[in-house]
Amino acid sequence: MLEQAIADWGGRDDLWLFGYGSLIWRPEFDFAERRPAWVHGWHRALKMWSRINRGSIQTPGLVFGLLSGGSCRGMVFRVPSAHGLETLRRLWLREMPTGVYDPKWLKCTTPEGPVRALAFTLSRRSPNFTGELSDERYRHIFTHAVGRYGSSLDYARQTLLELRRHSIHDAALARLVALAHERQEEQERQAEAGAAADCGMPPAPVYVPGSPDKSSSSFPQQSSGPSKEKT
């Protein structure tokens, strides 16, 4: 596939690369120009399994793929033709060590006009495509999946922050990151409740509608009057 990508580029013109995930905040190559770009017919999706970089065999993590359908805002990078071949080979080692992506040359719209850029797309037929995941599955992955480059949650957060820095709004990604915050808040509440129980503290009073005593709880109330005993 690398040879085909080189042949499609041709080597005469400058090399353009489209970034939609970690390439935006960690390109790891020199470039002469960077522009905001928009691609029609593809969208950014956190739906590719990562069993090394952002997860493990036991607990797979997630990274982004560019799936067909919709649209995607990202960044394009221009690499001078003299450095294009070296850059392309190095980028291939990073993005395609196991050939999980389907590289495609896409038309990208930029403020200065359209450019043809290489993008690493993901096929829904790939074994690394996750399919649809429930919110609970995302929460579990964000809580537990960690790989050699860090956690899936850190990866998602970093991408979201960098997109916002470039005034790119991704509502779907923002919602997923918010799921992790909800899980953390829930865990903090459970930890506080557990700490209170360990200290022997009774639970907070619960108001029962219609009860004459607004401080009623599930615990029996101690009578303030004199007790009556059978003799």
Side-chain angles (χ1 to χ4, degrees):
M1 284 192 287
L2 173 58
E3 290 72 18
Q4 185 61 52
I6 294 172
D8 291 341
W9 166 47
R12 294 179 298 276
D13 300 323
D14 289 349
L15 174 68
W16 287 92
L17 303 167
F18 179 68
Y20 56 89
S22 62
L23 277 183
I24 298 179
W25 48 271
R26 189 169 58 88
E28 294 184 331
F29 58 82
D30 295 328
F31 52 89
E33 182 183 2
R34 177 175 59 187
R35 302 180 191 173
W38 177 77
V39 171
H40 178 70
W42 300 87
H43 68 280
R44 176 175 36 248
L46 195 61
K47 292 183 178 181
M48 190 169 87
W49 293 120
S50 174
R51 297 176 176 86
I52 297 177
N53 292 344
R54 296 291 174 173
S56 63
I57 299 297
Q58 295 77 16
T59 308
L62 297 170
V63 291
F64 288 104
L66 196 63
L67 294 176
S68 59
S71 62
C72 179
R73 292 183 63 196
M75 307 293 293
V76 287
F77 302 86
R78 180 173 64 84
V79 179
S81 58
H83 305 287
L85 184 58
E86 177 189 356
T87 298
L88 197 52
R89 291 187 185 279
R90 288 172 53 198
L91 186 61
W92 219 263
L93 292 175
R94 164 180 164 169
E95 301 293 333
M96 295 285 287
T98 58
V100 295
Y101 286 111
D102 186 11
K104 293 184 181 297
W105 294 91
L106 304 179
K107 179 182 177 181
C108 303
T109 302
T110 80
E112 291 79 16
V115 300
R116 180 172 173 265
L118 180 65
F120 292 93
T121 71
L122 178 65
S123 170
R124 288 180 173 83
R125 295 187 299 271
S126 169
N128 287 75
F129 174 56
T130 67
E132 294 301 317
L133 299 176
S134 67
D135 287 354
E136 188 57 35
R137 187 70 183 277
Y138 274 111
R139 290 189 184 100
H140 177 82
I141 292 169
F142 286 152
T143 302
H144 301 288
V146 180
R148 65 178 178 180
Y149 292 146
S151 70
S152 293
L153 178 56
D154 287 343
Y155 171 84
R157 280 174 172 166
Q158 184 64 45
T159 302
L160 181 62
L161 290 174
E162 190 67 10
L163 290 175
R164 287 174 173 172
R165 193 173 76 84
H166 291 286
S167 300
I168 298 174
H169 177 62
D170 189 322
L173 177 56
R175 190 188 76 82
L176 291 180
V177 172
L179 292 176
H181 295 160
E182 292 173 3
R183 168 58 65 87
Q184 289 177 344
E185 291 174 356
E186 178 184 351
Q187 290 176 334
E188 290 173 359
R189 288 194 297 268
Q190 292 176 347
E192 291 174 357
D198 290 342
C199 294
M201 296 174 60
V206 177
Y207 169 60
V208 179
S211 170
D213 183 0
K214 292 187 177 182
S215 64
S216 61
S217 72
S218 58
F219 283 82
Q221 300 296 315
Q222 182 177 353
S223 173
S224 59
S227 61
K228 295 181 180 180
E229 300 179 357
K230 291 184 179 180
T231 57

